[in-house]
Amino acid sequence: MAEVIDIDDPADPRVDDFRDLSSADRRPDLPGRRGLVIAEGVVVVQRMLDSRFAPTALLGVEKRRQELADDLADTDVPYYRASAEVMAEVVGFHLNRGVLAVARRPAPLALDEVLEKARTVAVLEGVNDHENLGSMFRNAAGLGADAILFGDRCADPLYRRAVRVSMGHVLRVPFASVPEWPHGLDTLRRRGFQIIALTPNPAAVNLAAAMTGERVALLLGAEGPGLSEDAMRATDVRARIPMSPGTDSLNVATAAAMAFYERVRT
Amino acid sequence: MAEVIDIDDPADPRVDDFRDLSSADRRPDLPGRRGLVIAEGVVVVQRMLDSRFAPTALLGVEKRRQELADDLADTDVPYYRASAEVMAEVVGFHLNRGVLAVARRPAPLALDEVLEKARTVAVLEGVNDHENLGSMFRNAAGLGADAILFGDRCADPLYRRAVRVSMGHVLRVPFASVPEWPHGLDTLRRRGFQIIALTPNPAAVNLAAAMTGERVALLLGAEGPGLSEDAMRATDVRARIPMSPGTDSLNVATAAAMAFYERVRT
C-alpha cells in the first residue's frame, strides 16, 4: 500500500519533482534537465503504474487517492496528499485532473526488441509536434499497431503534453529509434517488413493496394514537408490515401490511423 | 480590386468587427452577440473568399495583402492595412497569421439542399468540442465526405477555433441541422441513406461489413458518452471500428475519418 504523506507547505522539498511543471519539463531530454516523465489524471496514472515507467511518487488530492486505491494497493510509492491550492502552488498552475505521478526515464528499448513480435509499425521522420505524437500513440493503441519508431528530427514522445494527449499510451506502446537514418531501415527489411512511404502524391499507389506485406512499416513525415527524398528512396513502395483535390494533407496522426485501420478493418 | 485603407489608430471604428476577438466571439450564436465568422491566415481567408461566407472586410499587414493580391483582384471588400502592433491592439492578442477576414452569417442551408447530391454524410450528436468539430470538417474535406449534419447538442461549427482547426473547410463543406432529433433521420432514410451508428460496442458489426449502402449517413457521438439510446434506435445498423481491448475510444474526428476512408479506399 502506498504511504500517504500530507503536504501542507508548497515549498516542501519532497515534492520537488512536481515543481514548476510548465517550465521545468520543456525539453526534458536535454542535458542538465531532469528528464522526468509526468502522468496527469487518474487514467494516465493508472497506465503509468501498469507500464515500464515505474513512478517514484504521486502528488494529488484525497479524492483522487480514493479513486486510485485499488491501483496503489500493491505499490509502496509515496502518495503526497495535498489540497488543490497547494498542488497549484507546487506545479505552477491549476490542475483540473487532481493527481500526478512522476517517473524516471528507463533505458530506451532496443530496436530489435521492439520489432521482435511486431506486425505493424509506424516510422516517423520530422514529426516534431507533441500533440501529433500523442495522437499517434493513442491511435496506435486503439487500432492495435505494435510500435512507433523514430527516424530523424522527431520531438520527444515523453514530453508532458505528448503523454497527456496520448492518454498515457505513450507509456504502453513500445517505441525505439532507428539509427543511421534512413539506412537503418534495412534492419526492418531484413526482418521481413514491407516498408511503405505514405505520401499525398496522386501518382502513388492506393494504400489499400500497396499494403501487401505480412509485416508492414509505415513511414510518415510531418504535414507540409512530408518525407525527405532520402527516406522515400529507402522504402519499397510509395502509397497514398485517396484524397480530394485542393485540400490539405491529413494530419499525420490521422493519416497513420487510416493505415493502422487498413490493417485491422476486416 | 479591394480598396486598401490604412489603420493607424487601434480605436478606429472601421475595424470594430475585429475587436477583442478572444472574448467577442465566445458563443457568437447567442442572441445579442455579433454572430460574425472570422477567418485567420492566408489559406483560410482564401477559402472564405471562395465560399458562401462573403467577407465584408479584411484586416492585415502589408505582406499578407501582397500574398492575397490575386485573390482580392475581383472583390471590392476593403483591406484594412495595419502594422502587427496595431492589429494586436485591435484583436486583443498577437496574431501570427497576420491577416483576418470577417463575414456575416448567411442563412443556414436547408437539409434537403445539402442532401441533394450527397453520397456520404456524417451526423453528429453531442459533439461540443470546437477542436473536434474543426478536425471533423478537415477530414471530411480531405476524404471527400459531402456534408456534416447536426443532431442534438453540438457546438457551433462557425466558432473561430473550429474555423481555424478545420483550415477553413467548415466554410466549404456544407452543413445543416437535422430537425426533430432523432426522428428527423427519417428524412435521410426516405432519400435512400443507410443510417449507420458508430459505436465502440464489441458486439456490433465491423464497419467495413456494415457499410453496404450506395448513400450512407454515419452517426457519431462524443467521446465518452457516445450516441444516445434514442439515436441508436433510429439507425439501420450499429457498426464498430475494430479496436484493441482496454484502450479508449478513438477521437470522434478520427473515427469519422476511418469511416470516410472506408468509402474511398479503393
Side-chain angles (χ1 to χ4, degrees), chain A residues 54-118:
Chain A
T56 54
L58 290 90
L59 170 66
V61 299
E62 169 58 15
K63 183 159 181 281
R64 297 292 179 255
R65 191 191 65 78
Q66 289 172 23
E67 290 168 34
L68 287 164
D70 288 350
D71 305 283
L72 297 174
D74 296 330
T75 80
D76 55 3
V77 57
Y79 191 101
Y80 295 112
R81 181 168 57 187
S83 65
E85 294 69 32
V86 168
M87 270 190 82
E89 286 210 48
V90 173
V91 305
F93 51 90
H94 178 73
L95 204 100
N96 281 324
R97 291 177 180 79
V99 64
L100 296 165
V102 61
R104 261 73 198 163
R105 291 180 180 227
L109 298 175
L111 182 57
D112 277 340
E113 184 183 355
V114 166
L115 292 177
E116 182 74 35
K117 293 176 184 165

Side-chain angles (χ1 to χ4, degrees), chain B residues 1 6 32 35 39 52 61 75 84 89 93 95 99 107-108 116 138 141 148 166 178 189 193 207 241 253 255 258:
Chain B
M1 176 66 83
D6 281 309
R52 66 192 175 97
V61 299
T75 80
E89 285 211 48
F93 52 91
L95 205 99
V99 63
E116 183 73 36
R138 181 183 176 189
I148 308 285
S166 81
V178 179
R189 196 172 281 110
F193 281 87
L207 177 64
I241 293 165
M258 309 286 112

Side-chain angles (χ1 to χ4, degrees), chain A residues 188 192-196 210-218 236-237:
Chain A
L188 280 77
F193 281 87
Q194 182 194 20
I195 302 179
I196 303 172
M211 202 154 63
T212 54
E214 174 59 33
R215 313 183 87 177
V216 302
L218 298 143
D236 299 320
V237 60

Side-chain angles (χ1 to χ4, degrees), chain B residues 79-157:
Chain B
Y79 191 100
Y80 294 113
R81 180 168 57 188
S83 65
E85 293 69 30
V86 168
M87 270 190 84
E89 285 211 48
V90 174
V91 305
F93 52 91
H94 179 74
L95 205 99
N96 282 324
R97 292 177 179 79
V99 63
L100 296 165
V102 61
R104 262 71 199 166
R105 291 179 181 229
L109 299 175
L111 182 57
D112 277 340
E113 184 183 354
V114 166
L115 292 177
E116 183 73 36
K117 293 177 183 162
R119 282 189 68 247
T120 306
V121 302
V123 190
L124 311 184
E125 182 190 51
V127 178
N128 54 17
D129 177 283
H130 292 109
E131 196 160 342
N132 283 346
L133 279 179
S135 301
M136 178 81 63
F137 276 87
R138 181 183 176 189
N139 293 344
L143 295 161
D146 301 299
I148 308 285
L149 304 180
F150 293 103
D152 229 7
R153 294 174 291 113
C154 291
D156 175 22

